[in-house]
Each structure stands twice: as structure tokens, then as C-alpha cells.
Amino acid sequence: MADLKIRIGELEFKNPVTTASGTFGFGEEYTDFMDLDRIGGIFTKGTTIRHREGNAYPRMAETPSGMLNAVGLQNKGVDYFISSIYPRIKDYDTNIMVNVSGSTIEDYVATAEKVNELDKIPAIELNISCPNVKQGGMTFGVSCAGAAEVVRAVRKAYSKTLIVKLSPNVTDIASIAQAVEEEGADSVSLINTLLGMAIDAETRKPYLSTITGGLSGPCVKPVALRMVWQVAKAVKIPVIGLGGIMNTADAIEFFLAGATAIQIGTANFIDPAISVKVVEGINEYLDRHGCSSIYDIIGALEA
Amino acid sequence: MKKCSLDMVVSANIPLGSNHFLLKFTHKEQLPEMLPGQFVQVRVDNAPGVFLRRPISVNFVDQQKNELWLLVQKVGEGTRKMSEYKTGDVVNMLLPLGNSFTMPQSAQSRLLLVGGGVGIAPLLYMGSLLKQQGCNPMFLLGARSADGLMQIDDFKQFGEVFITTEDGSAGEKGFVTQHSKLQEHIDKIYTCGPTPMMQAVARFAQNNDIECEASLENKMACGFGACLCCVTQTQSGHKCVCSEGPVFNTKELSWQI
Ligand SMILES: Cc1cc2nc3c(=O)[nH]c(=O)nc-3n(C[C@H](O)[C@H](O)[C@H](O)COP(=O)(O)OP(=O)(O)OC[C@H]3O[C@@H](n4cnc5c(N)ncnc54)[C@H](O)[C@@H]3O)c2cc1C
Ligand SMILES: Cc1cc2nc3c(=O)[nH]c(=O)nc-3n(C[C@H](O)[C@H](O)[C@H](O)COP(=O)(O)O)c2cc1C
Ligand code: FES
């Protein structure tokens, strides 16, 4: 049995396998299928300062080896999370991290401040792939200045482990990672979904109510791996890799590319117990390769 | 109800008409309790372009034989692959998913189960349980033509069956909502089928002050409430069809009826 423990900022994880925001609800949706205590952590559904209804149906389209979603951050708001969801999930023996989203800097800060008060939430993941309503809908995460501005503001308001989730819809993701590292982020997670679209040729209509949506699943894995590799070389803080991880081999590829931890997203829909299987698979891989710690393979790509 | 992931074994694959088939599955252990209106998420491997699971209604359950039936229409690659399943094939499913139809206030209630196309699937199981509880359900089943009518003999075991076809090749000609049976007194309607049909049924129910439950078929990614992709608009905002449905009281839905 190799040592699977890893650290991100101040936070220790019993193993490097976590589940991705928006694909794992608040964990409770999965308890019939698996034991949450066996994974390293859970990133909750994106949470905003106020209730959001999300986008109109249809919100999903299957694509070759993946899917597009346009859920649009449907959630009941941070106060509801604190009063109604947090009490039910806080005692799971795993790291529960809240994915914080917003449309203005003030919203991000206000949400982070509230989550900072919760004893059993040791970290937040800042989703900077949301449109900045004040700047005409331009996403915070697509420019170094925008990303730095949100992280700077949230860093002042949030004292625990701060993970910043990066958008892949940019020309140079490494420089954005560096910009958020400079502002005091403890870690970066990547990738969020790639912007895409799907059309029904017969009806000449888009499949999604929003026309465009976020692509995820195995089809994005090569892009995600490349970005994790580039970012891991560019920053000193730990990188959390995700995008299309379906099995142990996929997860190992992310560690080799430089990820300290991974998130499993869309794969949970196809096998709701996949994250536990990947924990076991990583153990088996490390034994087979004579490794005593997960750190032996992080960034161990032989190029 | 605890959901689980089960490897089920195909025990029969029976073609019904040109475009539908009935899959029977068995399990070596006791099947979990399944309610009428619930569905399963079938994992379809080795089908080109099929990535997500496919939601299919529980058509019938025999708890003595540990047998589950799924009635399926071939529409694309996933259901085409399912049509090729052979006896002995092992198929993984998540089950049981979703809520269920609710039982009537009294066994004396006059109940009409209205199905269209493959939407008749959950009504067979519902009918069997209603009959078990001492009710006398009536079935009103619609299809484009006689070729699309399925499981009529199975339905007849549980109650009287009335039929409409759009081309008049069986039963009364027209849509289910035009059937003469609807002139009689009805206390409650359960319906499943194409959305326009269910909306017409819901409109009829509303105009005649009849209780009505409909089973919806939205596009799903997970099937168990984790992704929020499958929502329908209701009087109290978006609700997940997979976990808060698929069955809704039609009064609750924001349908333009
Ligand atoms: C709760 C629920 C219960 C269902 N029960 C049954 C059942 O008992 N028997 C049965 O045959 N089918 C049922 N369906 C529909 C079934 O899930 C789809 O027909 C199936 O997923 C199509 O897969 P495919 O790969 O063959 O086709 P795809 O290639 O995915 O699609 C082919 C065509 O069918 C349409 N389609 C795909 N999924 C749906 C859907 N969910 N609703 C409406 N149109 C769709 C697509 O837009 C496309 O035009 C149910 C759906 C839900 C949500
Ligand atoms: C249905 C769905 C909802 C998502 N919601 C969120 C969200 O609320 N916040 C967020 O940061 N990412 C969200 N994501 C993105 C995922 O967390 C993840 O970054 C992406 O899907 C890539 O990983 P995967 O290919 O393993 O799914 C969502 C993804 C999906 C498929
Ligand atoms: S399909 Fe995922 S929430 Fe309903």
C-alpha cells in the first residue's frame, strides 16, 4: 500500500481523488452507490450569493465521447447551502470544498466570506469561468487582469485554502495561472468546460436553449492534459487536474503531467462509483510500479 | 429507496412490431423494490456515439422470478444496440430511479391509464399493481397504426383496454383524447407518451376537473439528481425530472394548456 496522502495549501487529503463541481451534487446523491469517506474530497455544485434558476431546458446534448451542458449555475444560493445543506453533509469524513461562483467581484467576496465561517469547509474553489456582468459578460477567467482582480479580492476575505478553477477558453492558460498564483491562490484546478455547440441538422435548431454550452468528458482529455502539463511547469503551487478522466489510467496520466490531485466529473454519471474505483486503481498502479508515495509519479513524465 | 448498480442478465429479447422490442432481464438475487413510474439507467457499451446511459421505464417486475421487463423503441444507436441483446448478455443498470405514480384515494376510484406509443411502458406495471390492490383500472392506448400497438394481451390481464389509432387500423380512429370512453365519469388519469399527447390529456383533465399524473421524458445525463440537466419548469421553479419526477401532477407543471 503506497502512501496516497497529498497536501494542497494547508489542507491534507487522504488520497488525491476528488469529484468535480456540478457533477457530484453535494455528495448526497451518490451515497447509495459509494462510500464518500473513501475519496479525498468533494467539490460542491457551484454556489452563488443568491438563488439562481439556471438556464431553460434543454440543457444537455450528448456529443461524440462527451456532452455539452448549459445548466447555468442553478443553485439555491449560499444562505440556503449554509442553513439546509451544510448541516447534512458536514460530518462526512472527506474534504468538502465549496465551488464559489459569481457575476461581480462583490458577489464572489460576499459568498466566500460566508463560507469562510463554516468550520467543516476547509477550502473553496473559485470558479472564475463565470461571465462578469459589469464588464458586458466577459468572463473573469479569460484575462490575467480579470483573474487577478477576483482572486485578490477574495484572498482578502477568505482565510483558508483557496483553489482557483481555470477556464480553458483562453490563449495562454499558464500566464493566467501565474497571475492567480501571484495573488495568493493556494492551488489551481483545471480545466473547466470548453465552449462548444451542437446543431440538429434536421430541424436546423441548436440542441441547447443557450445555443452554446460547456463540453466535458473524454473528448476534452487531450486538451486538459496539455494544459495541466503547461500550468504545472509554470507555477509552484499544486495543480489539480481534471477533464475527461474516466478510469485509473486517465488519472495516472494527469499525475504524470504534473497534477497533485485530480477531479472526476462527467464519468460519475456513467459509473457513480468510479471515484472509489480510481482510488483503488491508483494504489494498485503505485504498487505495480514500485512507488511508495503518490508524489513519486507527480510530474514524472519522461519527455 | 436505496438506488443500486446491478448487472442484469438478458433472459429474452422479443421483437414487437417493426420498431419495438421487449427485453426481459433476470437477476440472481432478490431485486430491490421498484415502484410504478420509476425507471432504470441502462449502460449501453460498444455502441458508436453512445456515451451516456439510456433512461428506460420499468415496464413490469416479477418479484417472484426476479424478473424486470423493459419495453423499448428503436430511435437511435443506443436503443438499436439494445435491440441486439441476446439471452445471457450482461447489462449494467442503475435502479430504481425517480418517484412514482401515486395510488388512488380508494379502490372504487374510476382510473384511466392513457398511453401513447412506447409511453405505454410504465402503465403496464402501474396497472398490475392497481389490480393487485383491488382497483379496476381501464387502459386507453394509442398508436399511429395497429403495428405500433404492443402488449395488449398483457394489459388485458389487469383491466379493460380501449384503443385508438391515428389511421384507424385498430380501435377508434383518431387521438386518445378523442376516444368515446372519455365521455364517461373518471376520477383520475395516469398518462405517459409524447409530450403533445400528455398535454392534450392534461388539458382534458383540467377542463373536466379530473386528477392527472403524467410521466415526463426529459433528456438526462445522470438520472439521479446530480447534474441538473433534466429540469422541467413547474409552479415552484425548475424541478429535476429524474429525481423529483418523472411523475408530476399536471397541475404542478408550467404547461401552456
Ligand atoms: C424517464 C424516462 C423513461 C423512458 N422510458 C422509455 C421506455 O420505457 N422505452 C423507450 O423506448 N424509451 C424510453 N425513454 C426514452 C429513451 O431514453 C430514449 O429513446 C433513448 O435514450 C434514445 O437513445 P438512442 O441512443 O437510441 O437515441 P439517440 O441517438 O440518443 O436519439 C435518437 C433520437 O431520439 C431523441 N431522443 C433521445 N432521448 C430522448 C428522450 N429522453 N426523450 C425524447 N426523445 C429522445 C433524440 O433527440 C433523437 O432525435 C425514456 C426516457 C426517460 C427520460
Ligand atoms: C453538468 C455539469 C455541471 C457543471 N457545473 C459546474 C459548476 O457549477 N462549477 C464549476 O466550476 N464547474 C462545473 N462543471 C465543470 C466540471 O466541474 C468540470 O470542470 C468539467 O466537466 C471537466 O471535467 P470532466 O470532463 O471530468 O467532466 C460542470 C460540468 C458538468 C458536466
Ligand atoms: S439527469 Fe442529472 S439531474 Fe436529472
Side-chain angles (χ1 to χ4, degrees):
Chain A
M1 271 275 283
D3 185 1
L4 290 187
K5 282 201 287 298
I6 54 130
R7 282 188 90 76
I8 299 220
E10 294 291 298
L11 187 58
E12 186 168 284
F13 292 69
K14 67 175 85 169
N15 66 57
V17 178
T18 66
T19 51
S21 175
T23 68
F24 210 70
F26 292 94
E28 297 172 301
E29 292 81 353
Y30 285 83
T31 50
D32 282 354
F33 301 110
M34 59 171 273
D35 180 359
L36 300 183
D37 295 353
R38 292 187 59 196
I39 57 175
I42 294 167
F43 289 90
T44 70
K45 174 67 199 160
T47 300
T48 52
I49 190 73
R50 275 172 295 277
H51 168 100
R52 279 175 62 110
E53 266 299 288
N55 294 321
Y57 179 85
R59 295 174 167 188
M60 193 278 288
E62 191 177 28
T63 65
S65 293
M67 59 176 274
L68 287 160
N69 90 80
V71 173
L73 290 170
Q74 178 179 325
N75 78 100
K76 293 198 163 113
V78 67
D79 291 332
Y80 180 85
F81 171 78
I82 293 170
S83 64
S84 303
I85 301 172
Y86 175 69
R88 294 203 303 260
I89 63 173
K90 69 182 176 42
D91 294 322
Y92 288 123
D93 181 20
T94 189
N95 292 329
I96 301 189
M97 298 158 282
V98 173
N99 178 276
V100 171
S101 298
S103 313
T104 63
I105 303 250
E106 295 74 27
D107 287 357
Y108 276 108
V109 169
T111 310
E113 273 172 345
K114 290 187 181 227
V115 178
N116 202 26
E117 301 301 314
L118 305 176
D119 283 347
K120 300 285 181 68
I121 304 291
I124 58 170
E125 179 180 55
L126 207 60
N127 173 13
I128 57 170
S129 316
C130 310
N132 177 352
V133 292
K134 285 204 177 149
Q135 287 190 7
M138 227 253 297
T139 306
F140 285 104
V142 297
S143 74
C144 289
E149 198 186 349
V150 199
V151 176
R152 190 181 312 135
V154 172
R155 181 72 286 181
K156 282 197 203 116
Y158 188 75
S159 61
K160 300 182 224 174
T161 300
L162 175 60
I163 300 162
V164 180
K165 185 165 182 179
L166 305 181
S167 166
N169 304 308
V170 297
T171 38
D172 181 11
I173 196 162
S175 61
I176 294 184
Q178 286 169 332
V180 307
E181 177 181 38
E182 246 163 66
E183 297 298 339
D186 295 302
S187 170
V188 284
S189 55
L190 62 141
I191 59 173
N192 210 317
T193 53
L194 277 159
L195 200 57
M197 72 188 270
I199 297 173
D200 184 338
E202 287 308 314
T203 62
R204 304 187 177 190
K205 293 207 162 89
Y207 275 109
L208 300 176
S209 68
T210 48
I211 304 176
T212 62
L215 186 64
S216 65
C219 55
V220 308
K221 195 186 79 173
V223 177
L225 264 181
R226 183 266 293 179
M227 290 185 160
V228 164
W229 178 70
Q230 288 179 323
V231 168
K233 285 193 300 179
V235 297
K236 293 189 196 63
I237 51 177
V239 173
I240 303 175
L242 73 150
I245 297 177
M246 298 299 288
N247 52 42
T248 302
D250 293 339
I252 300 290
E253 292 168 26
F254 277 84
F255 293 116
L256 294 173
T260 298
I262 55 138
Q263 295 181 14
I264 296 181
T266 306
N268 295 304
F269 303 156
I270 291 132
D271 181 354
I274 188 64
S275 51
V276 171
K277 292 177 189 166
V278 170
V279 174
E280 286 163 4
I282 292 171
N283 228 325
E284 189 270 329
Y285 175 91
L286 293 176
D287 286 349
R288 197 154 45 80
H289 285 257
C291 303
S292 60
S293 156
I294 181 74
Y295 279 97
D296 292 353
I297 64 165
I298 295 171
L301 181 72
E302 296 175 9
Chain B
M1 283 175 92
K2 194 174 154 72
K3 300 182 270 289
C4 55
S5 167
L6 287 188
D7 287 332
M8 304 281 288
V9 181
V10 177
S11 56
N13 181 350
I14 304 159
L16 300 176
S18 48
N19 227 8
H20 296 85
F21 53 99
L22 176 67
L23 287 171
K24 295 188 181 180
F25 295 88
T26 51
H27 188 58
K28 51 185 184 312
E29 286 157 39
Q30 181 73 51
L31 282 176
E33 186 194 357
M34 283 178 255
L35 302 174
Q38 288 190 305
F39 65 100
V40 304
Q41 274 276 53
V42 181
R43 180 162 178 160
V44 186
D45 289 324
N46 305 316
V50 176
F51 173 62
L52 298 165
R53 286 176 184 261
R54 294 293 188 259
I56 304 289
S57 305
V58 171
N59 175 232
F60 189 70
V61 184
D62 184 331
Q63 286 289 4
Q64 261 74 52
K65 292 198 239 166
N66 289 327
E67 194 173 82
L68 166 70
W69 296 8
L70 303 180
L71 177 69
V72 187
Q73 179 180 15
K74 262 184 268 183
V75 297
E77 279 303 315
T79 48
R80 196 191 53 73
K81 183 79 197 177
M82 293 171 73
S83 74
E84 295 168 358
Y85 285 165
K86 293 190 180 49
T87 306
D89 284 356
V90 176
V91 178
N92 180 269
M93 293 177 201
L94 307 180
L95 84 193
L97 304 176
N99 67 357
S100 63
F101 292 115
T102 58
M103 288 292 158
Q105 303 283 338
S106 104
Q108 273 67 54
S109 296
R110 285 182 59 84
L111 308 172
L112 187 65
L113 283 64
V114 185
V118 77
I120 65 167
L123 302 183
L124 182 67
Y125 187 41
M126 180 60 180
S128 75
L129 295 182
L130 286 170
K131 166 100 182 177
Q132 221 175 64
Q133 308 226 333
C135 305
N136 290 305
M138 298 175 288
F139 302 97
L140 175 52
L141 308 176
R144 284 227 177 82
S145 68
D147 179 59
L149 291 167
M150 299 159 287
Q151 298 187 305
I152 300 300
D153 289 338
D154 294 307
F155 279 102
K156 280 184 179 160
Q157 290 182 30
F158 308 124
E160 237 184 311
V161 176
F162 304 92
I163 287 167
T164 62
T165 51
E166 287 171 37
D167 66 1
S169 52
E172 290 185 17
K173 185 172 162 54
F175 296 113
V176 283
T177 40
Q178 294 163 331
H179 196 278
S180 52
K181 197 70 195 167
L182 294 177
Q183 301 312 314
E184 297 176 16
H185 173 80
I186 299 160
D187 294 308
K188 186 162 181 178
I189 294 177
Y190 302 95
T191 185
C192 183
T195 307
M197 183 209 89
M198 291 195 288
Q199 288 178 333
V201 172
R203 190 181 313 124
F204 171 83
Q206 185 179 301
N207 293 341
N208 294 278
D209 219 9
I210 301 169
E211 198 61 10
C212 181
E213 291 181 8
S215 178
L216 273 47
E217 285 198 4
N218 278 7
K219 289 263 164 81
M220 297 181 175
C222 68
F224 46 87
C227 72
L228 310 184
C229 286
C230 63
V231 293
T232 190
Q233 192 62 252
T234 72
Q235 305 302 341
S236 44
H238 279 137
K239 283 199 170 175
C240 283
V241 169
C242 72
S243 55
E244 298 170 282
V247 179
F248 293 90
N249 187 314
T250 51
K251 277 198 212 110
E252 200 192 334
L253 296 167
S254 305
W255 277 352
Q256 303 299 319
I257 55 178

